[in-house]
Amino acid sequence: MASSPSSPPPAPPPDFEISRQSRIFAALSKKVIDLDELRMLAAQGVPDAAGVRSTVWKLLLGYLPNDRSLWEQELAKKRSQYAAFKDEFLSNPVETARQVEREGNNNDNAEHVENGLLHRSEVTQEEHPLILGKTSVWNNFFEYTEIMEQIDRDVKRTHPDMHFFCGDSSFAKSNQESLKNVLLIFAKLNAGIRYVQGMNEILAPLFFVFRSDPDDKNAKFAEADSFFCFVELLSGFRDNFCQKLDNSAVGIRDG
């Protein structure tokens, strides 16, 4: 019985494909990148190699400046800023309340001298900064509880066909957590919009591309980079998000 013929070797990429990829690499290698040229090349598709897609997206979304010499400085600044956002908006309310209490106790122990005598400040319960501070912490937490629950439900439904986002692996759960962090921080920084269903679907491709960057340092900061690119992307069509459509499939108005 004759053996079955082997599969033919894959066809080489067309000459224009090689040329297009070469032009993208050449455009990215310039000291000051021509964004119009890059946009034109990217409109035909961006090769998924050597982190090119990640870099192109960051440039065209305005996250990276077109001057390559400023990249390192700008990335360090933005990533540090995102870390501060996480500390401020994602902190455990129990720990935050304890911190407020510690600071309040330090202030209560302060004494001052008046007419040669030591005095302690007397503050009514209603005016006590410790009470007001702890109340503010918990009010802020409960204000966003419903939004947090909605984000959690939507993130768990994001691309159920991809192991990158779904499943019981620590990797998938870590990626889900990053999506939730970005969406919640965005909601808290944008009180006029907060969170609308469908935002998770816009964020997911950004995070997937940035987290898959072969450069380990860039992949490590995929959450921070995704946040700022997500903000830039939404700024162009934020009015299309309609909270009245939150119970629909996507929460986005078509036109």
Side-chain angles (χ1 to χ4, degrees):
M1 182 175 179
S3 59
S4 59
S6 59
S7 300
D15 291 342
F16 77 87
E17 181 68 13
I18 297 176
S19 175
R20 185 177 60 84
Q21 292 189 20
S22 299
R23 291 174 65 190
I24 289 180
F25 280 111
L28 292 176
S29 66
K30 295 179 181 178
K31 182 179 183 301
V32 178
I33 296 168
D34 185 336
L35 295 181
D36 289 334
E37 177 191 14
L38 184 63
R39 190 174 293 107
M40 179 191 67
L41 293 171
Q44 304 170 39
V46 182
D48 188 18
V52 173
R53 182 172 297 168
S54 173
T55 303
V56 169
W57 285 15
K58 290 172 185 176
L59 280 163
L60 295 184
L61 286 170
Y63 179 53
L64 284 177
N66 64 335
D67 187 337
R68 290 174 57 91
S69 66
L70 301 177
W71 285 8
E72 186 174 349
Q73 175 186 343
E74 189 66 19
L75 287 173
K77 182 179 72 174
K78 290 291 182 62
R79 290 165 176 174
S80 176
Q81 185 179 358
Y82 182 75
F85 285 156
K86 291 186 72 171
D87 287 342
E88 180 177 356
F89 296 117
L90 302 181
S91 56
N92 187 315
V94 175
E95 292 300 321
T96 304
R98 287 175 180 169
Q99 178 64 27
V100 171
E101 185 173 0
R102 285 193 294 268
E103 294 174 355
N105 287 336
N106 289 338
N107 292 334
D108 286 346
N109 291 331
E111 297 175 329
H112 64 277
V113 178
E114 183 178 335
N115 296 327
L117 299 175
L118 285 174
H119 296 272
R120 291 185 180 273
S121 300
E122 295 182 2
V123 183
T124 65
Q125 186 177 30
E126 291 76 10
E127 297 172 333
H128 200 300
L130 171 58
I131 296 174
L132 295 176
K134 292 174 70 175
T135 300
S136 175
V137 168
W138 285 104
N139 284 346
N140 183 66
F141 174 77
F142 287 120
E143 179 184 358
Y144 285 90
T145 299
E146 184 176 349
I147 293 176
M148 292 165 61
E149 292 173 352
Q150 181 65 63
I151 289 174
D152 184 66
R153 287 194 297 269
D154 289 348
V155 165
K156 288 179 179 177
R157 294 195 293 254
T158 302
H159 293 290
D161 56 324
M162 295 179 63
H163 294 299
F164 182 92
F165 291 112
C166 292
D168 296 327
S169 69
S170 59
F171 181 65
K173 290 185 179 296
S174 172
N175 294 334
Q176 287 184 8
E177 196 64 27
S178 290
L179 293 185
K180 289 188 282 188
N181 290 344
V182 170
L183 293 170
L184 183 56
I185 291 174
F186 177 86
K188 291 189 173 185
L189 284 170
N190 295 270
I193 304 176
R194 297 200 177 184
Y195 171 75
V196 179
Q197 284 179 295
M199 289 182 175
N200 58 306
E201 299 292 347
I202 293 174
L203 173 63
L206 291 171
F207 182 74
F208 175 80
V209 168
F210 297 162
R211 184 69 181 83
S212 303
D213 194 311
D215 186 318
D216 290 339
K217 185 176 182 181
N218 285 331
K220 176 183 176 182
F221 289 102
E223 185 179 317
D225 296 347
S226 297
F227 170 78
F228 288 103
C229 288
F230 177 70
V231 170
E232 291 291 341
L233 188 57
L234 254 61
S235 67
F237 57 92
R238 58 189 294 168
D239 291 341
N240 288 333
F241 281 92
C242 183
Q243 290 186 341
K244 292 180 181 179
L245 297 179
D246 262 358
N247 294 323
S248 71
V250 294
I252 305 178
R253 187 168 50 227
D254 291 334

